[in-house]
Amino acid sequence: MSNVVPSVKLHDGLEIPVIGFGTANMKGNQGSTAIASAISNGYRLIDTAYNYENEGAVGEGIRRSNISREQLQVASKLPGRYHQYDEAVEAIQESLFRANLDYFDLYLIHWPNPKQDHYVEAWQALIDAKKWGLIRSIGVSNFLPEHLERLEEETGVLPSINQIELHPFFNQEEQRKWHEEHGIVTESWSPLYRAKHTMENETLQYVAHKYNKSVAQVILRWHYQLGAVTIPKSTSPTRQVENISIFDFALDYEDMEMIGKLTRADGRINDQNPAEYEEF
Ligand SMILES: NC(=O)c1ccc[n+]([C@@H]2O[C@H](COP(=O)([O-])OP(=O)(O)OC[C@H]3O[C@@H](n4cnc5c(N)ncnc54)[C@H](OP(=O)(O)O)[C@@H]3O)[C@@H](O)[C@H]2O)c1
């Protein structure tokens, strides 16, 4: 087994690597240096968002790297305050101007904000922006099955990908199953649980020791074997390499099950249930 990063095909035909690079809070010069480092360490999918206020740092990181734009995939996200159609169209254009890019490979609606109830309009804007060539593939983030069903009912188009909170303490079994049945790829945000209680967890340490890998590698391998795309973030070049080097071993069934059992009903990091939580 080699450490080449495999890719997964989305339902609209776009192929993306199964590990991308998370960039929340990476801004300015330090941010673009970390992003350029991630690219030189093999990451080819970069995850950003309008609300991270770092699309500029992502664009700069890409230009500082020695990899061409065509070899990279960039994903950004539409903030909740711009869900109305005209505003969504402008925000997508503004995202591109900030990144100084001509197109995004992926663009997601960041949160559904169901109480505002404008996410279908936002989705229509993404559908049109794809037709205009501004985006190659359109997806969502933090959408529950009820929100996804509504998109399909009202526009006939299901997202290619749904980026959701997923880590060993919140394994999203039902939501993942729903995605699988509907041809939607699951992408895990905060895949390492922000390295808060994961690194010290006894079960994860036991499995890591068994395979002679780090806890982070075991967690990211678990995501991969679940069929999820991950976007771990690290400012450290050493940890960037560590996190992407998970394709030379495989967790056995018992270890997958053991990690799956760490999940808890209240396992979300900040209790951000998309049925209630809103972000603008
Ligand atoms: N769609 C959404 O609503 C949403 C919400 C949250 C996040 N996201 C996306 O998901 C990405 C990833 O999530 P995240 O940044 O919240 O958390 P994460 O990737 O789970 O964890 C990042 C933290 O883990 C540490 N870390 C990384 N690799 C490590 C390793 N091998 N060993 C030990 N510690 C390690 C990092 O520190 P160092 O930098 O020091 O290595 C950093 O503090 C974000 O950057 C963002 O792009 C999306």
Side-chain angles (χ1 to χ4, degrees):
M1 281 192 275
S2 79
N3 253 324
V4 176
V5 181
S7 55
V8 60
K9 201 180 216 171
L10 308 182
H11 69 51
D12 54 17
L14 187 73
E15 277 191 44
I16 63 168
V18 297
I19 293 197
F21 187 65
T23 68
N25 303 320
M26 284 183 181
K27 295 188 198 182
N29 194 43
Q30 277 192 330
S32 49
T33 301
I35 291 156
S37 156
I39 295 170
S40 72
N41 284 326
Y43 291 81
R44 294 292 177 268
L45 168 67
I46 314 291
D47 183 76
T48 178
Y50 195 105
N51 272 351
Y52 299 167
E53 296 182 336
N54 71 351
E55 289 161 314
V58 167
E60 179 61 18
I62 291 171
R63 281 182 293 281
R64 283 188 194 177
S65 78
N66 54 2
I67 300 294
S68 68
R69 166 69 183 100
E70 299 69 42
Q71 291 175 270
L72 294 167
Q73 299 195 325
V74 187
S76 193
K77 313 186 193 82
L78 179 75
R81 64 187 178 283
Y82 298 136
H83 278 190
Q84 293 189 15
Y85 182 85
D86 291 343
E87 293 181 350
V89 169
E90 273 177 8
I92 295 165
Q93 294 165 344
E94 182 61 27
S95 274
L96 286 169
F97 297 155
R98 289 176 179 199
N100 198 4
L101 297 174
D102 299 330
Y103 66 92
F104 285 115
D105 299 276
L106 270 168
Y107 205 82
L108 319 179
I109 302 177
H110 207 147
W111 286 89
N113 288 5
K115 282 179 261 176
Q116 308 300 315
D117 197 20
H118 290 299
Y119 64 83
V120 178
E121 265 185 75
W123 186 238
Q124 192 58 56
L126 265 63
I127 293 172
D128 291 344
K130 185 180 178 205
K131 283 185 197 143
W132 303 327
L134 303 182
I135 307 169
R136 294 174 74 198
S137 182
I138 54 176
V140 292
S141 179
N142 302 302
F143 274 49
L144 297 173
E146 69 216 52
H147 309 134
L148 295 164
E149 267 165 2
R150 185 131 169 253
L151 295 184
E152 189 174 34
E153 271 161 32
E154 297 201 26
T155 67
V157 183
L158 267 178
S160 59
I161 194 162
N162 190 8
Q163 185 182 115
I164 55 173
E165 178 172 359
L166 202 172
H167 42 68
F169 302 135
F170 201 70
N171 73 21
Q172 297 268 23
E173 191 171 354
E174 280 177 31
Q175 176 102 26
R176 281 189 285 109
K177 188 160 171 278
W178 200 96
H179 289 167
E180 221 174 285
E181 286 165 3
H182 292 82
I184 296 172
V185 167
T186 300
E187 187 176 33
S188 312
W189 63 253
S190 298
L192 300 171
Y193 197 79
R194 299 188 181 149
K196 279 183 183 160
H197 304 288
T198 34
M199 301 304 149
E200 306 79 32
N201 181 276
E202 278 181 20
T203 302
L204 294 169
Q205 282 191 348
Y206 164 82
V207 180
H209 186 252
K210 177 171 166 188
Y211 292 90
N212 200 18
K213 296 287 171 186
S214 71
V215 167
Q217 287 174 317
V218 161
I219 298 173
L220 294 167
R221 179 74 201 188
W222 171 79
H223 286 272
Y224 171 60
Q225 289 185 213
L226 289 181
V229 171
T230 48
I231 42 169
K233 175 183 82 171
S234 181
T235 48
S236 143
T238 313
R239 288 191 286 279
Q240 290 170 359
V241 173
E242 178 186 327
N243 293 346
I244 209 169
S245 307
I246 60 154
F247 302 103
D248 59 353
F249 74 111
L251 298 171
D252 63 28
Y253 178 79
E254 286 75 27
D255 295 322
M256 287 296 291
E257 289 288 295
M258 213 192 311
I259 299 171
K261 284 190 185 135
L262 297 174
T263 198
R264 301 186 311 252
D266 65 348
R268 287 191 169 98
I269 296 173
N270 286 323
D271 197 23
Q272 295 172 330
N273 178 352
E276 303 290 333
Y277 176 79
E278 297 193 296
E279 200 169 286
F280 295 92

